[in-house]
Amino acid sequence: MINWSLVVEMLPAFFSGLQMTLVLLVTSALAGLVLAVPLAVARSAHSRLARWPVFGFTYVIRGTPLLVQLFIIYYGLPQFGLIRNSTLWPLLRDPWFCAWLAFTLNTTAYTTEIFAGAIRTTPSGEIEAARAMGLSRAQVFRDVFWPGAWRRALPQYGNEVVQLMHATALASTVTIVEILRVGRDVYTNYLVLPESFGMAAVFYLALTVTITLIFRALERHFLRHLDPRSSATTVAAQQTGIQNVRA
Amino acid sequence: MFQGYLPMILDGLRVTLSIAFVSLCIATVFGMLGASAKLSSSPVLRHTAGAYTTVIRALPDLLLMLIVFYGGQILLNRFTQAQGLGYIDIDAFAAGTVTLGFVFGAYLTETFRGAMLAIPRGQMEAGHAMGLSRLQVMRDIVIPQMVRHAIPGFTNNWLVLLKATALISIIGLDDMVHRASLASAATREPFTFYALIGLIYLAVTTVSIVTLGALNRRMSRGIRAEAAR
């Protein structure tokens, strides 16, 4: 029933689609990670002036569909002559850059909330003890506060990366040829399902499994001080992680 | 400001909301079935439900929509051909809502499963011991109590589902996003219209959070604050 010669023929196209998906995923995930750390600190600060703008950003991003955000950036921004005449125009007319920008803003918002949640659950005694030991503020942040928050956030952050990988499929709507676009092209040309969307599903499934395994290894590395039998905390964190998903 | 396109966009909101509501109802049915199957004593049911939630959550929503939409059409064509009937076009609304319902049913399965597990086993055993049927235990003991535990997860799934309806414009449904793209093309003001629908989504999200938050507080009254979370 499956046309294997077509599968083999289309394999190179799927692999170049995979490459595009991976490049989008890795670049936006890394940029989001770098941006989310200071934003999460601001989001959980005492000062309202620091907290509210970040909350406004994450609320707007998390409250609107990614597809609409992508369309606002790619189709919407060129409406303004100011942007078409600006030095940023060569970037903003490039679909790849627009998709990357939308995914980065998106993952930054979700990751900020995950990290902010982890920061809020830092036991105050840990910080007080570190200060009492004579550690400077910078040392406390780097050696006590951040490693703890990172460990608590890790399971949820793994979920977020899987969600972001799924979200890169939307890049196909702005002419980028990633895995889903290859699948749609094969479907349009041959009108066959397993060899088009079925193949795309196999690729996404493999990516999901890979990312999950990577994060499981990271969790084993960062959470190895925990007794494996008391892994109830990890399970609890994963369950709350479901609450922070995007469409 | 919107050059007379505002009524058309707002009518699109009606379409978007009806898709979201109908999908949510279908997802709730799939979610209840999935959760019951996951907690059942039959290994076949457990593994089927396990495969359902694992595969659905491992794939992008958009891909699943395309598979159900085109795959469903192909299956329907084969069926009508075998029966000697003519070509039937799948209604985009039906295809879209069934797909979204099927996809989000997998997420709700996990929410409902967690909520069911939060109810002490002894209560169900007591119900059975009192001579209640399985259905009665479910209807009178389990469901009334699991609602409270399910609301936070249910709220999140509703918000994600609401945003996922935007993808449905890609398989040709005339929702708010599709209306915005029509208005953008006609007026050459894409930013105006995409930003407008972005604000509308944000407003619906806000209303949902406030309403379901109030519902959560109402259902959790009589329960101590730390236990209610």
Side-chain angles (χ1 to χ4, degrees):
Chain A
M1 189 175 151
I2 296 176
N3 181 351
W4 289 105
S5 65
L6 182 61
V7 170
V8 173
E9 191 188 328
M10 288 303 153
L11 221 44
F14 274 108
F15 272 105
S16 68
L18 172 68
Q19 206 182 344
M20 178 56 93
T21 296
L22 279 177
V23 170
L24 271 172
L25 172 67
V26 172
T27 52
S28 50
L30 285 179
L33 196 59
V34 170
L35 289 170
V37 175
L39 285 177
V41 173
R43 172 84 175 86
S44 39
H46 281 295
S47 146
R48 288 213 178 129
L49 213 62
R51 220 165 44 193
W52 284 99
V54 180
F55 176 67
F57 164 72
T58 65
Y59 191 77
V60 169
I61 296 286
R62 292 183 308 146
T64 50
L66 174 59
L67 186 71
V68 173
Q69 294 160 16
L70 181 59
F71 283 2
I72 288 178
I73 294 172
Y74 182 63
Y75 296 116
L77 289 183
Q79 177 179 328
F80 304 107
L82 201 68
I83 283 173
R84 285 199 306 276
N85 298 323
S86 75
T87 45
L88 284 175
W89 179 235
L91 280 178
L92 285 170
R93 64 189 291 184
D94 176 26
W96 192 91
F97 179 81
C98 291
W100 173 82
L101 184 61
F103 297 153
T104 299
L105 288 176
N106 210 262
T107 187
T108 301
Y110 285 91
T111 311
T112 299
E113 287 300 324
I114 293 173
F115 286 171
I119 288 173
R120 272 193 295 271
T121 51
T122 301
S124 49
E126 268 183 24
I127 308 295
E128 285 159 15
R131 295 288 288 163
M133 297 280 287
L135 268 64
S136 72
R137 276 179 161 275
Q139 280 175 319
V140 171
F141 184 84
R142 196 191 60 208
D143 298 333
V144 180
F145 176 74
W146 184 246
W150 166 248
R151 280 195 294 266
R152 275 189 300 281
L154 192 57
Q156 284 192 61
Y157 183 64
N159 275 333
E160 163 57 21
V161 173
V162 171
Q163 297 284 337
L164 177 64
M165 188 272 285
H166 291 168
T168 60
L170 293 188
S172 62
T173 59
V174 290
T175 72
I176 293 172
V177 186
E178 40 64 77
I179 298 174
L180 187 68
R181 185 79 241 172
V182 176
R184 289 185 79 172
D185 289 345
V186 175
Y187 182 81
T188 328
N189 291 332
Y190 300 93
L191 291 174
V192 284
L193 210 61
E195 298 85 345
S196 58
F197 294 128
M199 276 293 279
V202 169
F203 274 81
Y204 281 116
L205 211 55
L207 272 177
T208 305
V209 171
T210 311
I211 297 172
T212 311
L213 288 178
I214 290 174
F215 273 90
R216 204 166 286 170
L218 284 175
E219 277 169 43
R220 259 203 307 279
H221 174 75
F222 285 108
L223 304 173
R224 68 178 175 275
H225 59 290
L226 296 174
D227 176 6
R229 272 161 299 180
S230 71
S231 60
T233 46
T234 322
V235 175
Q238 272 164 351
Q239 277 167 353
T240 51
I242 297 167
Q243 300 181 358
N244 211 330
V245 288
R246 98 158 52 69
Chain B
M1 181 180 180
F2 302 113
Q3 305 187 21
Y5 282 96
L6 193 58
M8 185 182 94
I9 301 278
L10 289 178
D11 188 57
L13 171 64
R14 192 184 52 76
V15 178
T16 291
L17 286 180
S18 27
I19 296 168
F21 274 125
V22 175
S23 312
L24 185 70
C25 295
I26 299 173
T28 306
V29 173
F30 276 117
M32 283 305 286
L33 289 176
S36 313
K38 273 207 163 180
L39 295 173
S40 89
S41 48
S42 145
V44 178
L45 283 179
R46 274 207 309 272
H47 286 117
T48 313
Y52 167 54
T53 54
T54 309
V55 171
I56 295 284
R57 297 193 303 165
L59 296 175
D61 301 343
L62 181 56
L63 174 68
L64 287 163
M65 278 183 205
L66 294 170
I67 289 178
V68 175
F69 186 65
Y70 292 118
Q73 182 75 63
I74 290 174
L75 285 179
L76 187 72
N77 287 353
R78 285 214 185 117
F79 176 75
T80 52
Q81 255 173 8
Q83 301 291 316
L85 302 165
Y87 180 84
I88 302 176
D89 227 357
I90 287 195
D91 175 48
F93 186 88
T97 49
V98 169
T99 312
L100 278 176
F102 187 66
V103 171
F104 280 87
Y107 290 92
L108 279 180
T109 295
E110 296 300 328
T111 304
F112 291 157
R113 191 183 73 100
M116 283 179 186
L117 283 175
I119 301 164
R121 258 204 98 66
Q123 294 199 9
M124 287 167 242
E125 285 163 8
H128 289 304
M130 297 286 285
L132 298 181
S133 71
R134 293 173 79 96
L135 201 72
Q136 281 175 315
V137 168
M138 195 72 186
R139 194 191 59 198
D140 299 333
I141 299 177
V142 177
I143 291 180
Q145 298 192 84
M146 67 174 275
V147 170
R148 178 172 73 81
H149 294 288
I151 287 181
F154 191 78
T155 306
N156 279 303
N157 280 303
W158 159 251
L159 296 176
V160 180
L161 169 64
L162 177 73
K163 289 182 282 169
T165 59
L167 301 179
I168 242 166
S169 58
I170 295 170
I171 59 170
L173 209 68
D174 192 23
D175 74 328
M176 196 159 63
V177 177
H178 187 244
R179 303 285 174 98
S181 67
L182 292 179
S184 305
T187 58
R188 292 171 168 270
E189 285 185 7
F191 185 87
T192 315
F193 288 99
Y194 287 127
L196 171 68
I197 64 165
L199 287 175
I200 296 178
Y201 275 110
L202 203 59
V204 178
T205 300
T206 306
V207 171
S208 306
I209 291 175
V210 171
T211 315
L212 287 161
L215 184 69
N216 190 24
R217 272 192 301 282
R218 191 181 153 72
M219 299 298 288
S220 305
R221 73 198 189 285
I223 294 178
R224 267 192 227 101
E226 71 265 34
R229 264 185 302 173

